[in-house]
Amino acid sequence: MSEDSGTSHTRNPVMDGAPVHAPSRFDGANPFWQALDGGTLRLPRCPTCNAWQWYPLPVCGSCRAAEPEWVDVPDYGTVFTFTTVHRSFLPEGAVTPPYNVGLITLDGVDGPRLVSVLTGCGEGEPFVGMPVRMELLDLGTHRLPVFVPAGATQ
């Protein structure tokens, strides 16, 4: 509970004040969340044309084949673009700006990019093209992928 607003929320210093919400386990992304629970990153790919897709769809967006296969992917990549959030759209006290959000291109995965919190950034970071690696933040109800500079130590 926030002392100043009386609202319930989750704060984690590793995320530099970024908002945290539990995912729905009743949609097409359930294999993604299950893989994160097991410590891996997994995305859907069409078994017919090999096109990657994110967010998962019931049919391939390229060839219309049904039922994607879920494939483990690298947990590292580069920052395609980013923004620093200075003004949160959440209720006052729910999150403390500023925090960084990036669009991450995963190595070896053509097409989809993941939106994620960028944490552990030093002065002059993040930057476009910055190598990053995924860390899993355990929030009790689920594990959340966040990305840190590739050279950062745990």
Side-chain angles (χ1 to χ4, degrees):
M1 284 278 212
S2 173
E3 293 177 12
D4 53 6
S5 68
T7 59
S8 177
H9 62 274
T10 301
R11 271 195 166 164
N12 191 301
V14 173
M15 292 188 56
D16 300 327
V20 176
H21 302 283
S24 169
R25 297 291 179 131
F26 302 105
D27 63 13
N30 197 33
F32 172 80
W33 296 108
Q34 288 174 333
L36 291 177
D37 287 344
T40 61
L41 184 58
R42 190 172 293 153
L43 293 178
R45 182 176 65 187
C46 177
T48 303
C49 71
N50 289 323
W52 294 98
Q53 56 184 4
W54 186 254
Y55 196 79
L57 301 171
V59 297
C60 175
S62 296
C63 74
R64 310 299 289 167
E67 292 298 316
E69 62 183 351
W70 287 83
V71 180
D72 289 354
V73 297
D75 61 355
Y76 50 88
T78 56
V79 174
F80 178 77
T81 191
F82 72 94
T83 188
T84 301
V85 178
H86 291 279
R87 184 174 178 170
S88 177
F89 294 97
L90 297 173
E92 186 175 338
V95 63
T96 305
Y99 57 91
N100 297 310
V101 176
L103 191 57
I104 309 301
T105 301
L106 297 170
D107 289 0
V109 180
D110 286 335
R113 296 181 177 105
L114 295 182
V115 175
S116 179
V117 171
L118 295 169
T119 187
C121 296
E123 190 170 327
E125 296 177 326
F127 57 87
V128 171
M130 181 176 79
V132 291
R133 63 180 168 76
M134 183 185 75
E135 287 188 353
L136 292 173
L137 184 61
D138 192 340
L139 300 171
T141 59
H142 65 288
R143 297 176 91 182
L144 186 70
V146 298
F147 285 83
V148 299
T153 59
Q154 293 186 3

